[in-house]
Every structure is written in structure tokens, then in C-alpha cells.
């Protein structure tokens, strides 16, 4: 759970990008997508290092996951894991990390 070497390998192998490619693929089954979202939620929940949280949030993969058009109507378990992921992510946000979710180009009318 707190082994920094695991996260180092995760970074070195660019696993977040790989996870996103699997989640975006039409050939990836719903069970695999559900497990990937659950795994990401667990990873985020167990992060203790601010450096790790900043890395994870700063590369836009999490933003891509948030806006990904999942088919929740066909898979309630996927929907439940996605909501759980969002809750886990929300608990990691603070004044410093919320910046990764703002689009500076968007201006209110």
C-alpha cells in the first residue's frame, strides 16, 4: 500500500496512459473498464505523497477519464465504480490540486 517503488514503476511504464488507452478502446470489455476505474480509485485513495498526487492530476489523463462517454445504461457496476472514483478524487482535491481541473481558456459570459 505504501511502497514507493510500486508507484515509481507505475510512472516509469506510463501506466496511466496505458489505462486510458484501454478505457477508450471499443474492444475493451466492460468488466475490464470497471476494474481499471476501481484500480485508479484505489491508487488515488492510497496516495500519501503530494508529488504523486500532483503527477497523477497534472497530465490530463484523469480529466480525459472524467469526460469519457461511458455507456452507463448498459452497465450499472461501471457507473457505480465511476461515481466512487469521482468521490475518491474529490477527497484529494484542495486549493493546490483543484487547479488541474480549470480550463483557463474558458471565460464566463
Amino acid at each position: 500500500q505504501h511502497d514507493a517503488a510500486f508507484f515509481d514503476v507505475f510512472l516509469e511504464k506510463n501506466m496511466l496512459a496505458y489505462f486510458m488507452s484501454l478505457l477508450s478502446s471499443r474492444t475493451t470489455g466492460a468488466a475490464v473498464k470497471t476494474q481499471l476505474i476501481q484500480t485508479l480509485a484505489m491508487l488515488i485513495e492510497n496516495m500519501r505523497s503530494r508529488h504523486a498526487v500532483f503527477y497523477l492530476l497534472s497530465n490530463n489523463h484523469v480529466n480525459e477519464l472524467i469526460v469519457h462517454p461511458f455507456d452507463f445504461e448498459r452497465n450499472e457496476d461501471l457507473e457505480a465504480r465511476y461515481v466512487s472514483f469521482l468521490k475518491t478524487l474529490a477527497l484529494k482535491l484542495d486549493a493546490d490540486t483543484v487547479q488541474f481541473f480549470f480550463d483557463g481558456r474558458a471565460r464566463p459570459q
Side-chain angles (χ1 to χ4, degrees):
Q1 175 178 355
H2 300 286
D3 188 356
F6 172 78
F7 192 71
D8 290 344
V9 171
F10 188 84
L11 297 178
E12 182 181 314
K13 300 295 183 183
N14 202 12
M15 292 303 295
L16 191 56
Y18 180 64
F19 281 11
M20 289 309 303
S21 70
L22 288 173
L23 288 167
S24 300
S25 174
R26 292 178 184 228
T27 60
T28 304
V32 173
K33 290 181 180 185
T34 301
Q35 185 60 54
L36 285 171
I37 291 172
Q38 181 180 10
T39 300
L40 286 171
M42 291 169 53
L43 181 68
I44 291 169
E45 183 176 1
N46 289 305
M47 285 184 170
R48 301 292 181 249
S49 161
R50 279 193 70 69
H51 168 73
V53 173
F54 270 66
Y55 170 80
L56 192 70
L57 300 180
S58 68
N59 58 27
N60 267 348
H61 294 304
V62 173
N63 293 6
E64 292 173 25
L65 174 61
I66 291 170
V67 299
H68 184 75
F70 291 107
D71 186 5
F72 295 129
E73 291 183 18
R74 292 190 197 187
N75 191 329
E76 291 180 13
D77 192 35
L78 177 64
E79 180 180 24
R81 298 296 178 197
Y82 179 79
V83 170
S84 178
F85 166 79
L86 292 177
K87 289 178 182 178
T88 300
L89 184 61
L91 291 172
K92 285 292 181 180
L93 296 181
D94 61 23
D96 296 323
T97 56
V98 75
Q99 68 179 328
F100 298 116
F101 298 97
F102 284 113
D103 183 354
R105 298 169 296 177
R107 299 280 181 223
Q109 298 285 332

